[in-house]
Each structure stands twice: as C-alpha cells, then as structure tokens.
Amino acid sequence: MTAPQAIALQVNGERVEAHVLPRINLADFLREHLKLTGTHVGCEHGVCGACTVRVNGEIVRSCLMLAVQANEAVVETIEGLSDSGEISDLQEAFRARNALQCGYCTPAMLITAQELLKVEAEPDRDQIREHLSGNYCRCTGYQAIVDAVEATAKARKNKAPRNRDAGRAP
Ligand code: FES
Ligand code: FES
C-alpha cells in the first residue's frame, strides 16, 4: 500500500498540515479530514459542480484534484466565504428569492456565482446562465438562481458609486 504523504496548505485562512494517501481527492480531504462538509460531492467525475471550491483564487472541482496537489495552496470553501461575509448579500438574495430547495447545489452555486460577480459587475441573464452552466441543480429550474445573482449584481452596482464618491473632494 502507498504510504501517506505530508501536505501543508492554507484552508479558509488557517494553516493545515496533514498526512494523506495520494489517492484522496481534495473534496474528500476537506469533508472527511477537516469536516468542512459544505463542499458537496455529487458525480465525482467533474460534471455536476457540487464540489466547487477556490484554490489559489480560482474555482476548481475538488473531486478532480488530489489533496496532495493542493500542497502549499490557498483553499477557500463555502465555510470560509460565509464566515468572511464576502457573499452575505448573495446568500440573502438566494434566500429571498427561493433560489434553493434541497440546498445540495447551493454552496458551489454561490462560489461560482461570486466568481462571475467579481469580474462582471452587471452580467445579463445569458451570461449568468452560461457561467453557472457547469453547476447542476435538480430542484429549482435555475430561474430563481439567475434572479438572485442578477439582483445581487444590481444591488452591488448601486452601492459602488456611493463608495467611490465617499472619498472624493466636494
Ligand atoms: Fe465534483 Fe460532481 S462531485 S463535479
Ligand atoms: Fe436541490 Fe439545487 S436546490 S439541487
């Protein structure tokens, strides 16, 4: 049997050191070793998107990445994004618009939507659908999810000018 390997990484701002078997994927490592069960596992083949997390600032499917490949990486999960408040408005919009039912797809959907909103201030509905097309939802029919992302984009855009103006001379 292959021996466990030592890895060290940052997860949600905290340094983590562990010994893992080379075959353990990042999703299982997060869920089983670190008990970060907000990262869900659906297909385990890179199709459904339920296991989406951020690694070094980019979203990845953690079922397709080995834990040993995350050595020295910076990993952010839904727990980290929630605790920091980064997506609190997006979470509130999902709640307000009933954009989740069973909730299985929701953590990954939020992480993926946030990725879009970081680079595109006012995405149209087609852009939102396209960006979320790799994340499957078996409950909602997607309409309410697109509504929530669109509403969050508009709310953030309305906030932005006030923030910019705040530092300006009259
Ligand atoms: Fe990773 Fe489906 S569980 S993409
Ligand atoms: Fe159930 Fe999306 S809310 S899979």
Side-chain angles (χ1 to χ4, degrees), residues 44-150:
E44 293 191 86
H45 284 88
V47 177
C48 73
C51 62
T52 303
V53 298
R54 271 191 205 150
V55 176
N56 296 331
E58 305 284 333
I59 61 170
V60 303
R61 287 170 165 16
S62 59
C63 72
L64 294 184
M65 184 171 187
L66 295 171
V68 292
Q69 291 175 302
N71 189 35
E72 297 303 334
V74 173
V75 176
E76 294 164 275
T77 69
I78 190 63
E79 289 87 350
L81 269 68
S82 296
D83 289 350
S84 71
E86 178 183 334
I87 57 167
S88 57
D89 55 349
L90 190 56
Q91 289 169 308
E92 173 54 28
F94 267 57
R95 190 199 61 75
R97 288 168 184 270
N98 293 321
L100 64 153
Q101 290 178 29
C102 79
Y104 203 80
C105 69
T106 310
M109 203 66 88
L110 289 164
I111 293 175
T112 306
Q114 174 67 355
E115 185 200 41
L116 172 65
L117 295 177
K118 278 169 67 177
V119 297
E120 184 62 64
E122 204 170 13
D124 63 30
R125 294 180 71 84
D126 285 345
Q127 284 175 297
I128 296 169
R129 284 185 182 281
E130 171 70 25
H131 198 82
L132 298 178
S133 62
N135 289 69
Y136 291 3
C137 176
R138 289 294 174 236
C139 305
T140 65
Y142 299 100
Q143 192 75 13
I145 293 173
V146 176
D147 289 348
V149 176
E150 186 181 39

Side-chain angles (χ1 to χ4, degrees), residues 3-74:
Q5 291 183 20
I7 59 170
L9 61 161
Q10 191 189 106
V11 181
N12 297 333
E14 287 185 21
R15 176 114 175 137
V16 171
E17 294 179 4
H19 286 81
V20 295
L21 291 172
R23 64 178 164 76
I24 298 293
N25 68 36
L26 180 59
D28 288 343
F29 175 70
L30 292 169
R31 288 178 56 82
E32 291 167 19
H33 289 244
L34 303 185
K35 307 302 178 198
L36 294 170
T37 52
T39 300
H40 292 161
V41 174
C43 65
E44 293 191 86
H45 284 88
V47 177
C48 73
C51 62
T52 303
V53 298
R54 271 191 205 150
V55 176
N56 296 331
E58 305 284 333
I59 61 170
V60 303
R61 287 170 165 16
S62 59
C63 72
L64 294 184
M65 184 171 187
L66 295 171
V68 292
Q69 291 175 302
N71 189 35
E72 297 303 334
V74 173

